[in-house]
Amino acid sequence: MAPQRILITGCNRGIGLELVRQLLEQPNPPKQIFATCRNPDSPQNQELNDLAAKNQNIVLIKLEVTDAKSLEEATTQVEKHLNGAGLNLLISNAGILQPSTLATADAEEFLKVYNTNVVGSLLLAQSFLPFLKKAAQENPEKPLGCGKSALINMSSLLGSIEKTPESFCFHPQLSYRCSKAALNMLTRCQSVDYQKDGILCTALHPGWVQTDMGGPNAAITVEESVKGIIKMLDNLSEKHSGILVDWEGNTVPW
Ligand code: NDP
């Protein structure tokens, strides 16, 4: 059931980079990993560039998810490399978090976070939908899952409305929380509409992870998180359509 062709956003660091790394180490690695980042030529992308230099199945793609022109260019490039094949797995991983409390939040910051975390995910899915549909058509006999065609939106426990009272005092992150709650709704809507096309849509909480975003005091390492995510992706099925699951496969309440 391993996906053959995968696209992941935000691959130059954090969870995105580790996803690329661990996917390459799988017993049955994908034929193509479209690893996208905003500035492939930047020296800060050294690790991703090194991986791409050593692995022919990595295709580096420049992509700023909030920019329509960048999405159009990325789509054209990916289509060329797919050469008629479909895309089995699209992971909307790129995201931002800004300090934000009820007292300090302002419109500019709120809109910036919403634009990246929600609008970026929406535009990404719109752009690559034809290739996800194609993958589903290539495998009509397969059940819903990542081996067929799937869209994963990287969400967060902080977007869970039900869980908010447990952590709001310590981690207000207001604009981020609101954006991830909206991303959860987007995922639910996508799951309802795209199920008829054979595409599984699921929101994913990767755990509290030691990355630039999660910080050094986060609960788990990026290696642990991604190991869990890959196992979880492997087990995704129809019952995970339109829900929020965590890196260990547990359902998180909306
Ligand atoms: P990082 O901050 O380490 O990395 C974020 C990635 O997103 C970078 O590659 C960054 O690129 C990219 N990115 C940001 N904005 C854009 C954009 N507009 N277009 C394209 N790429 C962009 O974050 P993590 O790896 O920790 O997080 C990955 C995902 O997991 C996010 O969606 C996050 O919300 C989610 N998550 C993380 C948790 C954690 O504890 N770390 C907890 C819950 C959810 P660049 O280097 O160019 O800025």
Side-chain angles (χ1 to χ4, degrees):
M1 286 297 282
Q4 301 274 295
R5 295 178 173 82
I6 303 180
L7 187 144
I8 308 165
T9 59
C11 290
N12 55 312
R13 58 190 169 103
I15 294 169
L17 179 62
E18 185 62 20
L19 271 169
V20 175
R21 235 192 239 123
Q22 289 196 28
L23 282 167
L24 289 168
E25 290 167 1
Q26 295 305 299
N28 183 11
K31 282 188 180 144
Q32 288 178 309
I33 303 175
F34 297 100
T36 84
C37 60
R38 291 198 265 203
N39 303 299
D41 301 327
S42 151
Q44 286 170 336
N45 290 356
Q46 195 56 48
E47 281 182 76
L48 181 59
N49 290 337
D50 288 350
L51 279 178
K54 287 187 205 133
N55 295 278
Q56 289 196 338
N57 49 349
I58 298 184
V59 184
L60 285 186
I61 302 281
K62 184 176 169 130
L63 178 57
E64 157 63 63
V65 296
T66 61
D67 180 42
K69 190 160 179 283
S70 175
L71 275 159
E72 201 183 313
E73 285 168 5
T75 311
T76 306
Q77 275 192 57
V78 170
E79 184 170 25
K80 214 165 65 192
H81 285 279
L82 284 171
N83 196 21
L87 186 69
N88 305 103
L89 179 57
L90 176 61
I91 304 182
S92 178
N93 168 71
I96 57 169
L97 180 153
Q98 307 235 310
S100 178
T101 69
L102 285 168
T104 62
D106 63 37
E108 193 185 340
E109 162 230 316
F110 242 72
L111 293 174
K112 185 174 175 199
V113 173
Y114 192 90
N115 197 29
T116 303
N117 295 357
V118 191
V119 182
S121 294
L122 169 74
L123 299 180
L124 180 82
Q126 285 176 340
S127 300
F128 291 97
L129 183 62
F131 310 127
L132 288 173
K133 283 186 180 174
K134 180 89 180 43
Q137 286 157 9
E138 285 167 354
N139 300 290
E141 76 296 343
K142 283 191 183 169
L144 275 190
C146 294
K148 180 176 179 134
S149 182
L151 165 62
I152 304 297
N153 288 325
M154 206 61 94
S155 184
S156 172
L157 183 68
L158 296 187
S160 165
I161 291 169
E162 191 174 320
K163 292 279 183 186
T164 299
E166 293 173 23
S167 61
F168 185 65
C169 300
F170 320 105
H171 300 287
Q173 328 290 28
L174 193 65
S175 54
Y176 181 78
R177 282 178 182 274
C178 293
S179 74
K180 293 295 187 182
L183 180 65
N184 290 344
M185 174 55 91
L186 172 67
T187 312
R188 183 76 168 184
C189 295
Q190 289 168 325
S191 75
V192 171
D193 202 44
Y194 298 160
Q195 183 147 3
K196 65 177 183 325
D197 300 309
I199 303 166
L200 177 71
C201 303
T202 304
L204 167 63
H205 167 57
W208 183 20
V209 192
Q210 293 158 18
T211 61
D212 292 340
M213 183 185 288
N217 297 324
I220 53 172
T221 63
V222 70
E223 291 83 5
E224 288 172 289
S225 166
V226 169
K227 197 167 170 217
I229 290 172
I230 290 180
K231 191 168 161 210
M232 193 275 297
L233 290 176
D234 228 28
N235 292 326
L236 280 188
S237 67
E238 188 165 356
K239 70 174 187 209
H240 300 104
S241 168
I243 64 167
L244 173 60
V245 273
D246 72 12
W247 65 289
E248 293 180 296
N250 305 307
T251 302
V252 182
W254 294 129

